[in-house]
Amino acid sequence: MSRSARRITAVVLASGALVAAAALPAVADDHGHGRGHAPRSAVVLGKIQYDSPGRDNGSNRSLNGEWVTVTNTSRHSVNLRGWTLRDESRRTYRFDLRLPGRSSVRVHTGVGRDSRTDVYQDLRRYVWDSSDTATLRDAHGHKVDSKSWGHRHGGRH
């Protein structure tokens, strides 16, 4: 191998080591501040439609008009089997799916046929009140993310 080829190889390897070293503290930082909580997850709650559009007449269409989006922000798929989504009244949906990287799934309240992008709780009553909290927990029961809204929560989304 020529001297210039060895130099180029050394520069490339050194650059890779610097990039890896720079990325390491950010990952370690997530673990250091958890105080018993799970490390920050790439899976987060997205948009939430808590008030079904139109009249709340209890029809399946109206029930499916309320939903919570769960998004995987990483490039890698995440197994959500055993994860839960729960409201303040402890109504709980248990996941049984693998969420591909950089994708989302909507969790609808009513009855429907599950697909890659939409899953259904198969309930016949509304879940998400005008003032509520959606909490996502992993299969070990660790809180992954939550979102609150309404007057009891200061109107946050």
Side-chain angles (χ1 to χ4, degrees):
M1 184 183 280
S2 72
R3 190 183 336 181
S4 60
R6 280 193 300 254
R7 271 193 199 143
I8 291 171
T9 302
V11 167
V12 167
L13 290 173
S15 298
L18 284 174
V19 168
L24 232 135
V27 172
D29 191 50
D30 282 341
H31 295 286
H33 291 91
R35 290 195 181 119
H37 297 288
R40 188 151 89 213
S41 175
V43 179
V44 296
L45 293 173
K47 187 172 180 185
I48 297 173
Q49 179 66 50
Y50 58 86
D51 186 16
S52 166
R55 267 186 9 176
D56 290 344
N57 59 11
S59 70
N60 193 52
R61 182 176 183 177
S62 179
L63 289 167
N64 283 330
E66 67 171 24
W67 41 261
V68 175
T69 304
V70 177
T71 300
N72 179 0
T73 62
S74 78
R75 295 180 318 170
H76 307 286
S77 68
V78 175
N79 186 356
L80 298 184
R81 174 177 259 166
W83 287 45
T84 59
L85 177 64
R86 187 164 86 179
D87 74 335
E88 286 180 347
S89 298
R90 299 188 182 271
R91 290 172 285 209
T92 304
Y93 174 76
R94 186 170 301 278
F95 290 89
D96 187 17
L97 63 94
R98 179 171 289 279
L99 188 59
R102 295 198 186 355
S103 68
S104 297
V105 64
R106 275 190 182 172
V107 181
H108 298 271
T109 298
V111 176
R113 173 174 260 148
D114 291 351
S115 70
R116 283 188 20 204
T117 57
D118 297 275
V119 294
Y120 299 85
Q121 297 187 58
D122 295 334
L123 298 175
R124 305 232 182 253
R125 65 185 186 285
Y126 296 98
V127 172
W128 308 108
D129 301 325
S130 60
S131 183
D132 211 337
T133 298
T135 303
L136 182 66
R137 293 187 181 274
D138 67 16
H140 302 289
H142 298 119
K143 182 175 166 183
V144 173
D145 197 11
S146 69
K147 280 194 175 184
S148 298
W149 60 90
H151 67 278
R152 288 187 306 223
H153 305 289
R156 296 174 299 196
H157 272 303

